[in-house]
Amino acid sequence: QVQLVESGGGLVQAGDSLRLSCVASGRTFSSDAMGWFRQAPGKEREFVAAIHWSTGSMLYAESAKGRFTISRDNAKNTVYLQMNSLKPVDTAVYYCAGGRWSSRQYNYWGQGTQVTVSS
């Protein structure tokens, strides 16, 4: 099992920045990829970004390109999501997830952290 704990959410104004963190523990070797997803009220959960633990390869959703940056600190088993120029449409619960890079399947999920962007 892999345990994931997110932090860093909050209430900000449009244009502000936030950095989310996700600390992984447990059988972390069972996942070679970490992803960030988000779910806004009344909407489906959507992919935001992913990173490969070893190679550092990254993937982004179109909505995240240019404003969000995913990174990792292998020594701390921590993945980050730096979010800049936040917009009200970014308001959602943000989840980190552990899975497999090749299949894009994610089996481990954190509890989520709320991000609210006011206009």
Side-chain angles (χ1 to χ4, degrees):
Q1 283 281 29
V2 176
Q3 291 78 44
L4 303 172
V5 179
E6 305 100 330
S7 62
L11 172 63
V12 297
Q13 293 188 330
D16 285 350
S17 297
L18 273 178
R19 188 177 80 157
L20 306 182
S21 300
C22 174
V23 179
S25 60
R27 296 169 62 87
T28 56
F29 56 83
S30 63
S31 296
D32 64 2
M34 292 294 291
W36 285 98
F37 293 75
R38 67 185 184 185
Q39 187 166 20
K43 294 192 176 181
E44 301 265 325
R45 185 168 57 195
E46 64 175 359
F47 170 78
V48 176
I51 191 165
H52 192 285
W53 272 120
S54 296
T55 66
S57 296
M58 295 172 281
L59 284 173
Y60 291 96
E62 284 299 319
S63 59
K65 288 180 181 177
R67 297 189 301 127
F68 295 1
T69 302
I70 191 170
S71 62
R72 92 279 194 218
D73 184 333
N74 294 64
K76 296 181 178 179
N77 280 349
T78 301
V79 175
Y80 304 98
L81 185 68
Q82 177 68 42
M83 305 185 293
N84 299 328
S85 301
L86 282 162
K87 306 173 182 179
V89 294
D90 296 316
T91 295
V93 177
Y94 283 71
Y95 299 91
C96 72
R100 303 299 299 176
W101 182 262
S102 57
S103 66
R104 305 288 192 262
Q105 295 296 312
Y106 292 87
N107 300 316
Y108 306 103
W109 295 86
Q111 82 287 351
T113 185
Q114 177 71 47
V115 172
T116 303
V117 185
S118 64
S119 58

